[in-house]
Amino acid sequence: GLSRLPLEDRTEWLDLRGANYQGRDQRKELMMNSNKEPYFVKFIKSAKTSEFFLQALESIKEFQSHEYLQILENEAALKIQENDKSLYICDQFSGTVFNHLQKLGCRIVGPQVVIYCMQNQRCVPRADYPVYNMTMADVTASCTNLPKETREEVHKYVQMMGGRIYRDLNMSVTHLIAGEVGSKKYLVAANLKKPIILPSWVKTLWDKSQNSMIRYTDINMGDFLCPLFHGCTVCVTGLSSLDRKEVQRLTIENGGQYSGQLKMNECTHLIVQDAKGPKYECARRWNVHCVSIQWFFDSIEKGFCQDESMYTVEPGSKQESAPSTSTPTNEASKLDSRTLSDVSHISNINFSGVNETGCSSVVNSKLDLPFDDLINLDISSLQAPEDLLDGCRIYLSGFSGRKLDKMRRLINAGGGVRFNQLNEDVTHIIAGDCDDELKQFLKKASQRLTPHSASFP
């Protein structure tokens, strides 16, 4: 117990563990501080006295001199005007009396702390904050990737359960509490094989320790381990349909999210087969991690999210295909054989009227799809592969209301990238009505490579 504490803390702990074996004079000396002033233990009675409170009181009565033991009613406790360096045992860690003593800076512990220390011959912690129980005694935690409010809550609960918090990760830290993967703390802790736990572990321990004396080892920590893709939203480009489905399945199984469409401020990782294409270009501009498929499978094999900087795909590099999967060959053939003709309900789309010049080509396409048919189109029934529109950077013009919403969903379902503004990155324009902005853009683009355009009748 005491020998494992940092040196500066050793003189600030009240040693109850050996008091049963002390003589009366020695016990009296134990209740003195370094200035030889009496050291009082004061129990604060509440309206509802718990069994823990009564048990702790009886335990201390066995060896504590009555002249240094006090039992105070709420009214007497509220009359205390300064921190008298006594040890206060409070049954309730809320309410007027508790708040009053805490504001004065008094040393407060819960009855479970006294019982635990007596039973295990441990020292009662002396801290600048109240300690409710010893559920997390011997735990030293650090946090990463947590919102400020969540981090402060974790700090409070860990300390109230007898644990310690270090803001920096060092060798003394036993557990890392992570809101998501990927930080420097996360990578160091993972390589040191320290447990990386979700914040819900701390809250669960706190809830369970309210009515029973438990230790952090009494619940299955494996239920609260941070999944290796927790906080990651993965998108892919250039992979086969089979590999896409495998990445999607494994991402979700390991706590991440999968998106067929590359979305700004949402997607965190783009798995790249070749360092080219619209998704890759957008991902680089949006500071999305562009990584090889090896990053994904190495993360799964090693059990934690790998450092993306070791797998970055740069322009001009080509990646090897993904490792083979256990998916049956006939299933792979079925997936790869899908084509545009598999898309139900829109087989009546016709493309016609191709104009070509020496340096540009404009595809003017007519979508013979009445408005009502578009509105009534059931996207969930489509059998198209999710990479149907991979590589397409699409701008919608002249759509509004339900029609615009349906077009957005169609593009998302096909894995295309939708642009809100016209620019040189756009590869396809779908026009409900050709407005002035679109006409001006197409006029300026006539001197350059012009995007494909399609319009509704």
Side-chain angles (χ1 to χ4, degrees):
L2 188 60
S3 62
R4 291 198 294 270
L5 295 174
L7 183 61
E8 62 271 21
D9 290 341
R10 292 182 188 173
T11 59
E12 297 182 347
W13 286 49
L14 173 62
D15 193 346
L16 295 179
R17 59 182 178 168
N20 281 320
Y21 311 105
Q22 304 285 341
R24 184 176 184 82
D25 293 339
Q26 291 171 304
R27 289 202 306 267
K28 182 180 290 188
E29 185 174 347
L30 183 64
M31 294 299 113
M32 302 286 187
N33 61 21
S34 58
N35 296 321
K36 300 301 181 183
E37 296 173 352
Y39 196 105
F40 288 96
V41 178
K42 300 179 180 180
F43 282 75
I44 308 300
K45 292 187 66 175
S46 59
K48 294 182 179 180
T49 302
S50 70
E51 290 296 325
F52 293 131
F53 185 86
L54 297 175
Q55 185 179 345
L57 180 59
E58 290 302 316
S59 297
I60 287 190
K61 279 182 178 179
E62 291 180 6
F63 69 87
Q64 172 75 330
S65 174
H66 287 278
E67 58 184 309
Y68 298 120
L69 175 62
Q70 296 181 6
I71 302 174
L72 303 180
E73 301 287 346
N74 286 347
E75 294 76 9
L78 289 172
K79 292 179 180 179
I80 298 172
Q81 297 300 315
E82 61 181 3
N83 182 359
D84 57 4
K85 308 302 181 183
S86 297
L87 175 65
Y88 289 87
I89 288 85
C90 290
D91 211 8
Q92 301 293 325
F93 266 45
S94 61
T96 306
V97 173
F98 175 80
N99 293 335
H100 173 69
L101 295 175
Q102 187 178 28
K103 187 176 181 180
L104 291 175
C106 296
R107 181 184 179 191
I108 307 171
V109 300
Q112 288 191 45
V113 173
V114 175
I115 297 170
Y116 175 86
C117 292
M118 294 286 291
Q119 291 178 345
N120 295 276
Q121 296 190 18
R122 295 282 293 268
C123 300
V124 175
R126 182 180 186 89
D128 296 330
Y129 44 82
V131 181
Y132 184 75
N133 59 47
M134 299 293 278
T135 298
M136 297 188 75
D138 304 323
V139 170
T140 300
S142 187
C143 296
T144 186
N145 281 339
L146 293 179
K148 181 180 178 182
E149 183 178 341
T150 304
R151 183 176 67 250
E152 291 176 351
E153 183 180 73
V154 167
H155 285 186
K156 179 184 72 173
Y157 285 142
V158 169
Q159 291 172 336
M160 289 179 71
M161 289 187 284
R164 290 173 178 257
I165 289 289
Y166 283 174
R167 295 191 179 275
D168 296 325
L169 185 69
N170 56 43
M171 295 304 295
S172 299
V173 171
T174 59
H175 297 74
L176 181 66
I177 313 298
E180 59 184 41
V181 303
S183 70
K184 291 183 179 179
K185 276 188 180 181
Y186 171 88
L187 292 172
V188 172
N191 280 291
L192 292 175
K193 302 190 182 304
K194 293 183 182 292
I196 302 174
I197 315 294
L198 296 173
S200 55
W201 177 62
V202 176
K203 187 60 167 61
T204 299
L205 285 171
W206 174 253
D207 292 340
K208 289 184 177 295
S209 68
Q210 298 306 293
N211 300 312
S212 60
M213 289 190 60
I214 67 167
R215 295 282 288 139
Y216 71 94
T217 52
D218 292 337
I219 68 171
N220 184 12
M221 190 173 64
D223 295 337
F224 300 90
L225 292 176
C226 181
L228 63 94
F229 292 132
H230 188 61
C232 298
T233 299
V234 177
C235 185
V236 303
T237 183
L239 272 63
S240 67
S241 295
L242 177 62
D243 289 338
R244 286 171 181 267
K245 289 186 176 296
E246 189 71 355
V247 168
Q248 180 178 11
R249 179 182 69 82
L250 291 172
T251 297
I252 295 171
E253 283 183 4
N254 288 279
Q257 296 185 39
Y258 179 85
S259 174
Q261 180 190 24
L262 184 69
K263 300 177 183 178
M264 182 186 291
N265 299 325
E266 184 173 328
C267 290
T268 59
H269 295 77
L270 178 66
I271 296 177
V272 178
Q273 181 66 20
D274 296 312
K276 61 182 180 180
K279 278 187 178 179
Y280 176 75
E281 294 166 7
C282 290
R284 283 173 60 85
R285 285 199 300 271
W286 298 344
N287 294 320
V288 174
H289 293 295
C290 296
V291 293
S292 67
I293 190 68
Q294 199 60 44
W295 166 82
F296 183 80
F297 287 101
D298 281 356
S299 295
I300 293 174
E301 181 182 351
K302 296 178 181 179
F304 66 94
C305 185
Q306 297 297 292
D307 183 356
E308 293 88 354
S309 65
M310 305 297 292
Y311 300 86
T312 300
V313 177
E314 300 291 348
S317 63
K318 183 177 179 65
Q319 308 306 311
E320 296 181 1
S321 357
S324 59
T325 67
S326 58
T327 309
T329 305
N330 59 348
E331 180 68 17
S333 301
K334 186 173 87 171
L335 291 173
D336 291 334
S337 65
R338 292 178 178 173
T339 63
L340 181 60
S341 62
D342 291 324
V343 183
S344 62
H345 306 301
I346 59 173
S347 58
N348 58 337
I349 294 178
N350 292 319
F351 294 90
S352 59
V354 179
N355 286 324
E356 294 184 355
T357 65
C359 63
S360 66
S361 65
V362 180
V363 180
N364 296 310
S365 307
K366 205 73 170 176
L367 303 183
D368 298 326
L369 187 61
F371 177 81
D372 289 341
D373 287 353
L374 177 62
I375 293 298
N376 296 326
L377 180 64
D378 182 9
I379 295 178
S380 63
S381 67
L382 298 182
Q383 301 298 315
E386 62 186 24
D387 58 345
L388 174 66
L389 299 178
D390 187 23
C392 298
R393 293 165 289 187
I394 302 170
Y395 175 77
L396 298 176
S397 173
F399 293 92
S400 61
R402 294 171 61 194
K403 200 171 184 180
L404 175 60
D405 179 66
K406 186 58 64 81
M407 292 300 299
R408 287 172 175 169
R409 292 169 61 192
L410 280 168
I411 293 170
N412 291 347
V417 177
R418 187 175 59 82
F419 279 61
N420 292 321
Q421 292 184 337
L422 279 168
N423 57 51
E424 296 181 5
D425 292 327
V426 171
T427 61
H428 294 73
I429 298 171
I430 302 177
D433 295 308
C434 192
D435 56 20
D436 291 339
E437 180 186 4
L438 177 57
K439 290 177 181 178
Q440 188 69 20
F441 175 80
L442 291 175
K443 182 178 180 180
K444 291 181 178 179
S446 63
Q447 304 301 319
R448 304 186 301 269
L449 180 64
T450 308
H452 300 290
S453 63
S455 61
F456 278 82

